[in-house]
Amino acid sequence: MMVRAVIHRQPQSRAGELMTSKTTSSFDDRIGRNLVEAGFITPDQLETAQDTGEQTGVGLIETLVLDGLVSRDTLVTMLSFQLKIPVVDLKTVHVDPDAVAVVPEEFARSQSVLPIGFEPDGSLRTATTTPNDFQLASQIATLTGRQAKFVLALGGGLDELIARTYATLPAIRAEAPSTLDLEGEDGVGAVSLRPDARGILGQDVSQLPAIQAVEMVTLQAIKRGASDVHFVATSDSSKILFRLDGVLQEVAEIPIGLHDSMLARIKVLADMDITETRRPQDGSFNLRFNEKTVDFRVSSIGITWGEMMVVRILDRSEGILKMEQLGLEPDTMATWRQLLGLPFGMLLVSGPTGSGKTTTLYSSVTELIHNRGNILTIEDPIEYRVEALHQIEVNRQAGIDFPTGLKAIMRLDPDVILVGEIRDVETAKTAVDAALTGQLVLASIHSNDAASAFVRLIDIGIEPYLAATAVVGVAAQRLVRKICTHCKFDKEIDPTERQAYLSETGEDLTTFVSGKGCNFCGFTGFLGRTGVFEILPVSEATRKFVASGASGHEIRQQAMSEGVSPLRRTGMTKVKAGVTTVNEVLSRVFFFE
């Protein structure tokens, strides 16, 4: 069943774009001249900063701060007192939801303005990078019926904060001409948000029926970049949680009656049995939002206090990451690319659920599209649809599972095969046969690290000598949260973290980068995730260890003696580079001996 969202846009005209560009340039020129006249920067420095700001799209003011030519305090002082221009720091500014609701999202995005509050006289306090744009002020007055009081946005990322602000305020869409086509009858009940949930869902939606509640939660999950939505029944209520950057966050607590109605609504969309609340069920549905299609994979089961449901979100529009975007270090990426260049053999990507294995597989296989001929995949489900790949989706009702699909692929003259997951002996044996008979096979497998992938393969039912012969390389991976670039700062390292870093790298570290928390990262200090990798090419010595039935520990020690950097040590290099923290590596990157 298809859910369709229709958003009516009013794109900015070319003339409007030119006017905004000229206004921005004029304002930047004014700031630049005042800084030169006051002796803060030289004319040459101004010219260089202007060129850099245009090339990067950051703008003159942020370029001056980022390059260390002018401190932010100096700018604030000059703007506020000398030029009489009020300023706000986007990282810490409080945004009033009622003010945001006055301006439609599409207008705010197209004009790069963010309403943040009301002045005592009722005018709309609005953050912008062009506080002298009188035409824009007139447009806001016409649109809202309120005068616009502009304040200069400092701290970078105004467009990003606009997107994040509207993403957390779903009902604001009612102010813009938008509709969502959902079939079915209204449910009963009401949503009551916890006070600390407003940071994610943004407002009290106390009288929403089930259909609108499902609409709100699913759309906000998409806009917030959640990978999963959990609906969990408790003794007297229900909790809704989003998994954001790998961490579950509670976003709302709702009455149990609404919980049942929302789950029934999702079951209807996912073609599941709404009368069955105890036995496990699976289903799926699609949502068309703006110009992108999002897949939802639904699983439910009865628990102590009622029914639990988890909805996994697969956003097709995100696209496939390039190898350079995965987080591979230069040397490990070069090694992995060498393995991808082999004519045949099996390449395994290992790690626990949610560690990004499928993303790595797709990034790898798309590099082979133009020169490796016939590439076929068997997946459950197909997470990325690529026209150049011949993709087969598991459909057990039609008799297509991993073993039967892989056997069918073998009769279609493949050059490269991607197996979504090796989980049983029949799939493993067929994949090994393919690797030994002239195909390059890429597959994911659940194991703690690269060395353990061999043990897992043997445990499934593959003979050690076959595993040693077929597998030519293994990539183990984890995902760690990245420090928010908007609020990062140097911090003295905790003694425990210092010792952990020292024991892993042999180097001492007294300070490291951390995140203070700001509007951009939801005051967590982290924004986005990156991969930590361990690449193990199979040498003759390693092959002998595997064939002899050696343990994972023995295989690991042999690989490390050949220069393989283990997961945790690779994670610590990202700490040194200021990408993540020691605690994040210790909590995410671990394995059992």
Side-chain angles (χ1 to χ4, degrees):
M1 186 173 293
M2 179 71 72
V3 183
R4 182 175 300 275
V6 182
I7 305 298
H8 301 288
R9 297 178 177 272
Q10 294 181 337
Q12 185 178 9
S13 67
R14 178 61 179 162
E17 291 177 354
L18 291 174
M19 177 64 72
T20 300
S21 176
K22 292 177 181 177
T23 303
T24 303
S25 176
S26 174
F27 180 73
D28 283 353
D29 288 345
R30 181 185 177 193
I31 298 298
R33 288 196 305 270
N34 277 272
L35 288 171
V36 171
E37 291 171 1
F40 291 110
I41 58 175
T42 66
D44 289 342
Q45 289 175 326
L46 173 61
E47 183 177 356
T48 301
Q50 286 173 331
D51 292 340
T52 302
E54 290 178 3
Q55 293 172 5
T56 61
V58 173
L60 173 64
I61 295 176
E62 285 302 318
T63 299
L64 291 170
V65 174
L66 293 174
D67 289 350
L69 297 174
V70 179
S71 71
R72 198 174 300 279
D73 290 341
T74 297
L75 272 175
V76 170
T77 299
M78 186 189 74
L79 292 167
S80 299
F81 296 101
Q82 185 176 345
L83 301 181
K84 307 300 182 183
I85 299 174
V87 299
V88 294
D89 188 342
L90 295 181
K91 299 174 186 177
T92 57
V93 64
H94 171 72
V95 179
D96 186 345
D98 293 334
V100 179
V102 172
V103 177
E105 179 179 355
E106 294 300 325
F107 181 86
R109 284 176 176 268
S110 65
Q111 302 296 334
S112 293
V113 294
L114 178 61
I116 58 176
F118 298 103
E119 296 292 340
D121 62 0
S123 59
L124 189 64
R125 187 174 175 85
T126 307
T128 178
T129 57
T130 57
N132 61 335
D133 190 340
F134 301 109
Q135 181 179 355
L136 179 58
S138 177
Q139 290 176 326
I140 293 176
T142 301
L143 181 69
T144 66
R146 295 174 180 267
Q147 294 298 315
K149 175 69 176 297
F150 283 149
V151 294
L152 178 64
L154 294 181
L158 176 58
D159 289 339
E160 181 182 350
L161 185 58
I162 291 169
R164 295 180 70 86
T165 299
Y166 279 92
T168 61
L169 297 168
I172 290 176
R173 303 198 64 84
E175 298 292 329
S178 65
T179 61
L180 182 67
D181 182 16
L182 282 168
E183 301 174 3
E185 297 297 326
D186 285 356
V188 295
V191 176
S192 176
L193 291 181
R194 295 161 58 91
D196 57 356
R198 295 181 66 89
I200 292 180
L201 293 185
Q203 63 181 54
D204 183 7
V205 283
S206 58
Q207 297 301 319
L208 286 182
I211 287 180
Q212 293 180 20
V214 170
E215 169 190 334
M216 180 197 74
V217 171
T218 53
L219 292 185
Q220 293 317 304
I222 295 169
K223 296 176 76 173
R224 292 289 296 177
S227 59
D228 303 87
V229 181
H230 292 226
F231 300 87
V232 184
T234 63
S235 59
D236 58 357
S237 62
S238 171
K239 298 183 186 300
I240 300 176
L241 306 98
F242 287 175
R243 187 174 293 280
L244 300 167
D245 288 338
V247 179
L248 273 178
Q249 297 184 26
E250 182 181 336
V251 299
E253 185 172 346
I254 61 177
I256 197 67
L258 179 59
H259 167 89
D260 294 338
S261 298
M262 290 179 70
L263 266 57
R265 175 59 184 160
I266 295 173
K267 286 180 179 180
V268 170
L269 294 172
D271 197 22
M272 298 162 65
D273 184 356
I274 64 172
T275 65
E276 180 57 66
T277 60
R278 294 186 178 182
R279 291 185 301 176
Q281 291 193 78
D282 295 293
S284 63
F285 65 98
N286 307 104
L287 185 149
R288 181 78 177 169
F289 179 62
N290 286 349
E291 299 178 355
K292 65 182 181 181
T293 299
V294 180
D295 291 338
F296 295 85
R297 306 288 169 165
V298 184
S299 296
S300 66
I301 192 171
I303 59 175
T304 303
W305 301 112
E307 190 173 14
M308 175 180 179
M309 178 178 284
V310 175
V311 181
R312 187 179 184 194
I313 302 171
L314 305 174
D315 190 346
R316 298 182 195 170
S317 67
E318 291 182 350
I320 299 172
L321 297 180
K322 295 182 179 180
M323 292 274 283
E324 289 78 6
Q325 297 174 292
L326 297 177
L328 285 156
E329 301 299 321
D331 55 341
T332 54
M333 183 163 57
T335 300
W336 186 245
R337 280 189 164 133
Q338 288 177 352
L339 293 171
L340 288 171
L342 295 174
F344 60 87
M346 180 183 288
L347 292 175
L348 296 174
V349 179
S350 71
T353 300
S355 59
K357 299 187 296 297
T358 300
T359 299
T360 298
L361 284 174
Y362 268 99
S363 296
S364 301
V365 80
T366 51
E367 292 209 348
L368 307 177
I369 286 174
H370 299 296
N371 56 14
R372 292 301 289 268
N374 186 20
I375 304 177
L376 291 107
T377 77
I378 176 71
E379 307 165 65
D380 182 22
I382 295 174
E383 296 194 21
Y384 301 95
R385 300 184 184 274
V386 184
E387 289 187 7
L389 303 179
H390 310 307
Q391 298 170 277
I392 301 169
E393 187 166 57
V394 167
N395 185 341
R396 292 176 178 82
Q397 291 181 341
I400 303 174
D401 54 16
F402 276 109
T404 58
L406 190 51
K407 288 178 180 178
I409 286 174
M410 291 298 295
R411 296 190 291 271
L412 297 173
D413 188 30
D415 295 293
V416 179
I417 301 172
L418 187 153
V419 182
E421 183 181 348
I422 292 179
R423 62 177 72 171
D424 58 74
V425 64
E426 195 171 358
T427 303
K429 285 183 176 179
T430 308
V432 166
D433 288 343
L436 293 174
T437 56
Q439 285 81 38
L440 181 66
V441 179
L442 288 80
S444 72
I445 192 168
H446 286 90
S447 65
N448 290 319
D449 66 342
S452 300
F454 295 99
V455 178
R456 172 64 176 155
L457 202 59
I458 294 168
D459 183 58
I460 288 174
I462 300 300
E463 293 293 337
Y465 76 92
L466 288 176
T469 307
V471 179
V472 294
V474 184
Q477 69 180 86
R478 298 289 192 276
L479 292 177
V480 296
R481 292 181 294 172
K482 296 191 296 184
I483 297 167
C484 176
T485 56
H486 297 281
C487 61
K488 65 181 182 180
F489 71 108
D490 291 333
K491 177 182 178 182
E492 185 175 346
I493 194 167
D494 178 87
T496 303
E497 294 177 303
R498 182 177 181 179
Q499 181 58 42
Y501 183 87
L502 177 63
S503 62
E504 193 62 53
T505 65
E507 301 177 6
D508 197 10
L509 189 69
T510 56
T511 62
F512 73 109
V513 178
S514 184
K516 291 182 179 179
C518 66
N519 283 322
F520 293 95
C521 61
F523 295 94
T524 64
F526 295 97
L527 185 60
R529 290 189 292 176
T530 188
V532 173
F533 291 86
E534 171 185 314
I535 307 296
L536 192 162
V538 180
S539 65
E540 284 302 319
T542 301
R543 187 168 283 114
K544 290 179 181 178
F545 268 87
V546 176
S548 67
S551 67
H553 174 74
E554 293 172 320
I555 299 171
R556 184 183 308 116
Q557 293 301 313
Q558 171 60 32
M560 290 173 61
S561 72
E562 297 177 2
V564 173
S565 179
L567 278 168
R568 185 168 288 180
R569 188 173 303 166
T570 305
M572 292 303 177
T573 64
K574 294 187 181 297
V575 173
K576 186 176 182 179
V579 176
T580 190
T581 66
V582 174
N583 273 336
E584 186 67 10
V585 172
L586 295 178
S587 62
R588 307 287 176 182
V589 184
F590 62 91
F591 54 85
F592 302 100
E593 294 287 353

Short mmCIF file of all heavy atoms in Angstrom, two decimals, residues 253-278:
data_model
loop_
_atom_site.label_atom_id
_atom_site.label_comp_id
_atom_site.label_asym_id
_atom_site.label_seq_id
_atom_site.Cartn_x
_atom_site.Cartn_y
_atom_site.Cartn_z
N GLU A 253 5.38 9.61 25.20
CA GLU A 253 4.65 8.61 25.98
C GLU A 253 3.16 8.82 25.69
O GLU A 253 2.65 9.93 25.81
CB GLU A 253 4.93 8.75 27.47
CG GLU A 253 4.30 7.66 28.31
CD GLU A 253 4.75 7.72 29.75
OE1 GLU A 253 5.73 8.42 30.04
OE2 GLU A 253 4.10 7.07 30.60
N ILE A 254 2.48 7.77 25.25
CA ILE A 254 1.10 7.89 24.80
C ILE A 254 0.21 6.92 25.58
O ILE A 254 0.69 5.93 26.13
CB ILE A 254 0.97 7.60 23.29
CG1 ILE A 254 1.43 6.18 22.96
CG2 ILE A 254 1.75 8.63 22.49
CD1 ILE A 254 1.25 5.79 21.51
N PRO A 255 -1.10 7.18 25.64
CA PRO A 255 -2.02 6.25 26.30
C PRO A 255 -2.02 4.90 25.58
O PRO A 255 -1.83 4.83 24.37
CB PRO A 255 -3.38 6.95 26.17
CG PRO A 255 -3.06 8.38 25.93
CD PRO A 255 -1.79 8.40 25.18
N ILE A 256 -2.27 3.83 26.32
CA ILE A 256 -2.23 2.50 25.74
C ILE A 256 -3.30 2.31 24.68
O ILE A 256 -3.13 1.56 23.72
CB ILE A 256 -2.34 1.42 26.86
CG1 ILE A 256 -1.89 0.06 26.34
CG2 ILE A 256 -3.75 1.39 27.42
CD1 ILE A 256 -0.43 -0.03 26.01
N GLY A 257 -4.42 3.02 24.82
CA GLY A 257 -5.47 2.92 23.81
C GLY A 257 -5.01 3.46 22.46
O GLY A 257 -5.30 2.88 21.41
N LEU A 258 -4.30 4.58 22.47
CA LEU A 258 -3.78 5.13 21.23
C LEU A 258 -2.68 4.23 20.67
O LEU A 258 -2.55 4.06 19.46
CB LEU A 258 -3.25 6.54 21.47
CG LEU A 258 -2.64 7.23 20.24
CD1 LEU A 258 -3.66 7.33 19.12
CD2 LEU A 258 -2.10 8.60 20.59
N HIS A 259 -1.90 3.64 21.56
CA HIS A 259 -0.87 2.69 21.12
C HIS A 259 -1.49 1.58 20.28
O HIS A 259 -1.02 1.27 19.18
CB HIS A 259 -0.18 2.10 22.36
CG HIS A 259 0.69 0.90 22.08
ND1 HIS A 259 2.02 1.01 21.75
CD2 HIS A 259 0.40 -0.43 22.10
CE1 HIS A 259 2.51 -0.21 21.56
NE2 HIS A 259 1.56 -1.10 21.78
N ASP A 260 -2.56 0.98 20.78
CA ASP A 260 -3.23 -0.10 20.04
C ASP A 260 -3.77 0.38 18.70
O ASP A 260 -3.67 -0.32 17.69
CB ASP A 260 -4.36 -0.69 20.89
CG ASP A 260 -3.85 -1.39 22.15
OD1 ASP A 260 -2.67 -1.79 22.16
OD2 ASP A 260 -4.62 -1.52 23.12
N SER A 261 -4.34 1.59 18.70
CA SER A 261 -4.91 2.13 17.46
C SER A 261 -3.82 2.44 16.44
O SER A 261 -3.99 2.20 15.24
CB SER A 261 -5.72 3.39 17.76
OG SER A 261 -6.81 3.12 18.61
N MET A 262 -2.69 2.98 16.91
CA MET A 262 -1.59 3.29 15.99
C MET A 262 -1.00 2.02 15.40
O MET A 262 -0.70 1.95 14.20
CB MET A 262 -0.51 4.10 16.72
CG MET A 262 -0.93 5.52 17.07
SD MET A 262 0.37 6.43 17.95
CE MET A 262 1.59 6.64 16.63
N LEU A 263 -0.83 0.98 16.23
CA LEU A 263 -0.29 -0.28 15.72
C LEU A 263 -1.25 -0.92 14.72
O LEU A 263 -0.82 -1.49 13.70
CB LEU A 263 0.01 -1.24 16.87
CG LEU A 263 1.46 -1.20 17.39
CD1 LEU A 263 1.85 0.19 17.84
CD2 LEU A 263 1.67 -2.21 18.51
N ALA A 264 -2.55 -0.82 14.99
CA ALA A 264 -3.53 -1.35 14.05
C ALA A 264 -3.44 -0.60 12.72
O ALA A 264 -3.53 -1.20 11.64
CB ALA A 264 -4.93 -1.24 14.63
N ARG A 265 -3.27 0.71 12.80
CA ARG A 265 -3.15 1.52 11.59
C ARG A 265 -1.92 1.11 10.77
O ARG A 265 -1.99 0.96 9.54
CB ARG A 265 -3.07 2.99 11.96
CG ARG A 265 -2.82 3.92 10.79
CD ARG A 265 -3.91 3.80 9.75
NE ARG A 265 -3.63 4.62 8.58
CZ ARG A 265 -4.19 4.41 7.41
NH1 ARG A 265 -5.05 3.43 7.23
NH2 ARG A 265 -3.91 5.20 6.39
N ILE A 266 -0.80 0.92 11.44
CA ILE A 266 0.43 0.52 10.75
C ILE A 266 0.27 -0.87 10.14
O ILE A 266 0.74 -1.14 9.03
CB ILE A 266 1.63 0.58 11.71
CG1 ILE A 266 1.89 2.02 12.14
CG2 ILE A 266 2.88 0.00 11.05
CD1 ILE A 266 2.94 2.18 13.21
N LYS A 267 -0.43 -1.77 10.86
CA LYS A 267 -0.66 -3.11 10.33
C LYS A 267 -1.49 -3.08 9.05
O LYS A 267 -1.25 -3.86 8.12
CB LYS A 267 -1.35 -3.98 11.38
CG LYS A 267 -0.44 -4.43 12.51
CD LYS A 267 -1.22 -5.27 13.51
CE LYS A 267 -0.33 -5.76 14.65
NZ LYS A 267 -1.09 -6.57 15.62
N VAL A 268 -2.46 -2.18 9.01
CA VAL A 268 -3.26 -2.05 7.79
C VAL A 268 -2.36 -1.62 6.63
O VAL A 268 -2.43 -2.17 5.52
CB VAL A 268 -4.41 -1.04 8.00
CG1 VAL A 268 -5.08 -0.71 6.67
CG2 VAL A 268 -5.43 -1.61 8.98
N LEU A 269 -1.52 -0.62 6.86
CA LEU A 269 -0.61 -0.15 5.83
C LEU A 269 0.35 -1.24 5.39
O LEU A 269 0.69 -1.35 4.20
CB LEU A 269 0.17 1.06 6.32
CG LEU A 269 -0.60 2.34 6.60
CD1 LEU A 269 0.30 3.37 7.27
CD2 LEU A 269 -1.18 2.90 5.31
N ALA A 270 0.80 -2.07 6.35
CA ALA A 270 1.82 -3.09 6.07
C ALA A 270 1.23 -4.43 5.67
O ALA A 270 1.96 -5.41 5.54
CB ALA A 270 2.71 -3.26 7.30
N ASP A 271 -0.10 -4.49 5.48
CA ASP A 271 -0.78 -5.71 5.07
C ASP A 271 -0.54 -6.85 6.08
O ASP A 271 -0.22 -7.98 5.72
CB ASP A 271 -0.32 -6.15 3.67
CG ASP A 271 -1.28 -7.15 3.03
OD1 ASP A 271 -2.46 -7.18 3.46
OD2 ASP A 271 -0.86 -7.90 2.15
N MET A 272 -0.73 -6.53 7.36
CA MET A 272 -0.58 -7.51 8.43
C MET A 272 -1.96 -7.77 9.05
O MET A 272 -2.92 -7.03 8.81
CB MET A 272 0.40 -6.98 9.49
CG MET A 272 1.81 -6.76 8.95
SD MET A 272 2.84 -5.68 9.99
CE MET A 272 2.99 -6.65 11.48
N ASP A 273 -2.05 -8.82 9.85
CA ASP A 273 -3.31 -9.20 10.49
C ASP A 273 -3.53 -8.34 11.73
O ASP A 273 -2.80 -8.46 12.72
CB ASP A 273 -3.26 -10.69 10.88
CG ASP A 273 -4.58 -11.19 11.46
OD1 ASP A 273 -5.51 -10.38 11.64
OD2 ASP A 273 -4.67 -12.40 11.74
N ILE A 274 -4.55 -7.46 11.68
CA ILE A 274 -4.77 -6.54 12.81
C ILE A 274 -5.37 -7.26 14.01
O ILE A 274 -5.37 -6.72 15.12
CB ILE A 274 -5.66 -5.36 12.39
CG1 ILE A 274 -7.06 -5.84 12.00
CG2 ILE A 274 -5.03 -4.56 11.27
CD1 ILE A 274 -8.04 -4.72 11.76
N THR A 275 -5.91 -8.46 13.83
CA THR A 275 -6.52 -9.19 14.95
C THR A 275 -5.50 -9.98 15.74
O THR A 275 -5.78 -10.40 16.86
CB THR A 275 -7.61 -10.15 14.45
OG1 THR A 275 -7.01 -11.16 13.62
CG2 THR A 275 -8.65 -9.39 13.64
N GLU A 276 -4.30 -10.18 15.17
CA GLU A 276 -3.27 -10.97 15.83
C GLU A 276 -2.31 -10.04 16.58
O GLU A 276 -1.64 -9.20 15.97
CB GLU A 276 -2.49 -11.80 14.81
CG GLU A 276 -1.39 -12.65 15.43
CD GLU A 276 -1.91 -13.58 16.52
OE1 GLU A 276 -2.68 -14.50 16.18
OE2 GLU A 276 -1.55 -13.36 17.71
N THR A 277 -2.28 -10.17 17.91
CA THR A 277 -1.43 -9.29 18.72
C THR A 277 -0.38 -10.04 19.53
O THR A 277 0.39 -9.42 20.24
CB THR A 277 -2.28 -8.46 19.69
OG1 THR A 277 -3.00 -9.35 20.56
CG2 THR A 277 -3.26 -7.58 18.93
N ARG A 278 -0.37 -11.37 19.44
CA ARG A 278 0.58 -12.15 20.24
C ARG A 278 1.71 -12.74 19.41
O ARG A 278 2.87 -12.62 19.77
CB ARG A 278 -0.17 -13.27 20.98
CG ARG A 278 -1.15 -12.77 22.02
CD ARG A 278 -1.75 -13.94 22.80
NE ARG A 278 -2.67 -13.47 23.84
CZ ARG A 278 -3.30 -14.28 24.68
NH1 ARG A 278 -3.13 -15.60 24.60
NH2 ARG A 278 -4.12 -13.78 25.59
#
